[in-house]
Amino acid sequence: MIINCINCDKKFEVNSELIPSEGRTIQCGSCNHIWFYKHNTNIKNDFNAPKDIEDSLKSKKIIKKKKIDDNSTSIKSNKNLSQEIDKIVNKKEKALVKYHKDRKFTFSNLLSYILVLIISFIGVVIIVDTFKAPLYEMFPQLEILLFSLFETLKDIELFIKDLA
């Protein structure tokens, strides 16, 4: 059977045995949109927010418009739908936790940050050196500071050459 995503209109071939006669929620592999699919009908239910879920269930008269207590039978009859939603939410939470676990601060990360800092500093020095004449006119005291900075950089360069 071929199913069209109601969001991006992409077509997927799905084994018809995987979808029961009462229907089930489906997630698009291309745009990750989730909707409820039933044989011969394609009912659009966007499960992006709990309010949308409640509104869509109210429109189907699964949840009555009055407040429903915990012992309500309409919520119990909706157990399969809530389990599907819980599965989707748990998958996304697990992926987020896995992403954060994989991101550990290592020595190589520290070195890469230091390298980026050094390159950025060199870029700033080059820009300041390029525009030093207009900067001296705007800030007369800057000439002394820049001269000291360039002398310090030359000393560091000589120190590194002596180490090598």
Side-chain angles (χ1 to χ4, degrees), residues 60-88:
K60 290 184 174 188
K61 297 180 183 176
I62 295 174
I63 297 178
K64 297 178 182 176
K65 290 185 179 179
K66 64 179 184 172
K67 291 209 173 203
I68 298 175
D69 62 327
D70 293 335
N71 297 328
S72 175
T73 57
S74 62
I75 292 198
K76 288 180 183 176
S77 67
N78 199 16
K79 185 178 181 181
N80 290 338
L81 182 60
S82 65
Q83 286 176 348
E84 289 290 325
I85 294 169
D86 288 341
K87 286 179 187 177
I88 293 167

Side-chain angles (χ1 to χ4, degrees), residues 11-98:
K11 296 179 182 181
F12 297 96
E13 186 172 346
V14 178
N15 187 352
S16 60
E17 295 173 356
L18 296 175
I19 300 177
S21 60
E22 62 269 2
R24 67 174 287 176
T25 55
I26 296 176
Q27 182 174 8
C28 176
S30 180
C31 68
N32 290 330
H33 184 75
I34 301 169
W35 75 97
F36 186 81
Y37 183 86
K38 192 171 184 179
H39 287 288
N40 298 328
T41 57
N42 197 357
I43 302 169
K44 183 177 181 180
N45 283 332
D46 192 357
F47 294 114
N48 289 333
K51 185 169 176 24
D52 293 340
I53 295 170
E54 187 175 340
D55 290 345
S56 65
L57 294 177
K58 280 181 184 176
S59 68
K60 290 184 174 188
K61 297 180 183 176
I62 295 174
I63 297 178
K64 297 178 182 176
K65 290 185 179 179
K66 64 179 184 172
K67 291 209 173 203
I68 298 175
D69 62 327
D70 293 335
N71 297 328
S72 175
T73 57
S74 62
I75 292 198
K76 288 180 183 176
S77 67
N78 199 16
K79 185 178 181 181
N80 290 338
L81 182 60
S82 65
Q83 286 176 348
E84 289 290 325
I85 294 169
D86 288 341
K87 286 179 187 177
I88 293 167
V89 169
N90 286 337
K91 284 181 184 178
K92 290 184 178 182
E93 286 176 354
K94 286 179 183 177
L96 186 63
V97 168
K98 183 181 178 190

Side-chain angles (χ1 to χ4, degrees), residues 113-131 146 149-150 153-154 156-157 160:
Y113 288 133
I114 291 173
L115 181 66
V116 167
L117 249 145
I118 291 171
I119 292 172
S120 299
F121 179 72
I122 291 170
V124 168
V125 167
I126 291 171
I127 290 172
V128 168
D129 189 41
T130 303
F131 298 106
L146 288 179
L149 175 67
F150 291 137
L153 291 176
K154 286 180 184 176
I156 292 172
E157 179 185 5
I160 292 173

